[in-house]
Amino acid sequence: DSGVTQTPKHLITATGQRVTLRCSPRSGDLSVYWYQQSLDQGLQFLIQYYNGEERAKGNILERFSAQQFPDLHSELNLSSLELGDSALYFCASSGGGRADTQYFGPGTRLTVL
Amino acid sequence: DQQVKQNSPSLSVQEGRISILNCDYTNSMFDYFLWYKKYPAEGPTFLISISSIKDKNEDGRFTVFLNKSAKHLSLHIVPSQPGDSAVYFCAASARYTNAGKSTFGDGTTLTVKP
């Protein structure tokens, strides 16, 4: 158990819809990262937040947005969903803003029908 | 432009033998490297890391070697066990210039046969 929790575990929705994925980092961790893993592909970095502020941005679509709240939990919002957005979405957390070891949650499997 | 590459999508070894997983990178600013292991239906878990000031780091059956001039690192698992069967991701970061973001390779699926 990494200490990072993600909800929901599975999500099935239709094209055009909007969903919100939630992540609670390990106790004390200030950084939260979001990754997308499509079928048989590697981990694609989406975005990082550090203590409530956006720190780094990767290959995140404009239809996607994220935020980190004062209690340090984070939400990833995916809108105008397309079939190609079906993937595993992982959240990870680390202690600081530098390249610390990241602790991953179990992921949310999103299926867009 | 893929900055971290794991050129072997899969590797199969016999139990008890050595497993060698390879990773190449292109960004000379990377100074910290990590290996993660991922089982199906779980998130990746940290395995071992190495800073660019070292060329080797060992932790039990796992050793990571770094060749900075070749921009290459490898993970050695000795002896390999069936429970090591998983996807292994190599990751790299530039600690002081890239805000802690790690760039991941696409992963290598290791199968250890009993």
Side-chain angles (χ1 to χ4, degrees):
Chain A
D1 183 1
S2 66
V4 178
T5 59
Q6 288 187 249
T7 55
K9 195 163 187 175
H10 300 277
L11 198 48
I12 301 175
T13 188
T15 54
Q17 295 298 304
R18 173 189 168 94
V19 297
T20 298
L21 312 183
R22 182 187 169 103
C23 169
S24 292
R26 287 190 324 157
S27 177
D29 281 357
L30 298 177
S31 272
V32 169
Y33 309 78
W34 285 97
Y35 294 87
Q36 179 192 56
Q37 185 183 26
S38 301
L39 190 64
D40 292 335
Q41 292 190 6
L43 293 163
Q44 298 297 316
F45 169 74
L46 295 178
I47 198 162
Q48 179 202 358
Y49 278 83
Y50 175 75
N51 203 21
E53 294 190 4
E54 182 183 303
R55 177 63 71 93
K57 217 166 186 175
N59 300 321
I60 188 166
L61 300 171
E62 283 191 17
R63 300 183 286 108
F64 296 0
S65 65
Q67 59 185 138
Q68 186 179 27
F69 294 88
D71 66 352
L72 300 177
H73 91 271
S74 178
E75 292 181 356
L76 179 66
N77 301 296
L78 315 176
S79 61
S80 302
L81 285 167
E82 302 175 359
L83 295 176
D85 297 328
S86 295
L88 263 171
Y89 291 84
F90 289 105
C91 165
S93 74
S94 70
R98 302 298 181 186
D100 297 321
T101 300
Q102 294 178 27
Y103 296 87
F104 283 79
T108 293
R109 179 170 291 283
L110 173 66
T111 302
V112 182
L113 302 175
Chain B
D1 172 30
Q2 196 166 11
Q3 299 186 56
V4 177
K5 291 183 184 178
Q6 294 176 255
N7 291 318
S8 299
S10 63
L11 174 68
S12 181
V13 300
Q14 209 64 36
E15 181 179 6
R17 293 289 188 90
I18 184 171
S19 296
I20 300 177
L21 296 94
N22 294 303
C23 179
D24 297 298
Y25 62 96
T26 57
N27 190 339
S28 57
M29 299 299 292
F30 288 148
D31 57 5
Y32 192 65
F33 305 89
L34 310 96
W35 285 93
Y36 289 82
K37 174 177 172 179
K38 183 183 179 304
Y39 292 118
E42 294 182 12
T45 57
F46 169 74
L47 195 56
I48 192 169
S49 64
I50 188 167
S51 165
S52 60
I53 62 172
K54 294 186 175 182
D55 54 20
K56 177 182 173 182
N57 189 24
E58 205 168 342
D59 183 1
R61 296 186 297 113
F62 303 91
T63 303
V64 56
F65 294 92
L66 175 63
N67 182 333
K68 288 188 291 292
S69 60
K71 294 191 176 70
H72 177 85
L73 63 154
S74 60
L75 174 68
H76 293 211
I77 306 174
V78 184
S80 300
Q81 299 173 355
D84 296 329
S85 297
V87 178
Y88 289 80
F89 290 99
C90 167
S93 63
R95 297 185 96 163
Y96 298 101
T97 61
N98 209 15
K101 177 174 86 74
S102 286
T103 301
F104 283 77
D106 286 343
T108 296
T109 300
L110 173 66
T111 303
V112 181
K113 297 179 180 176

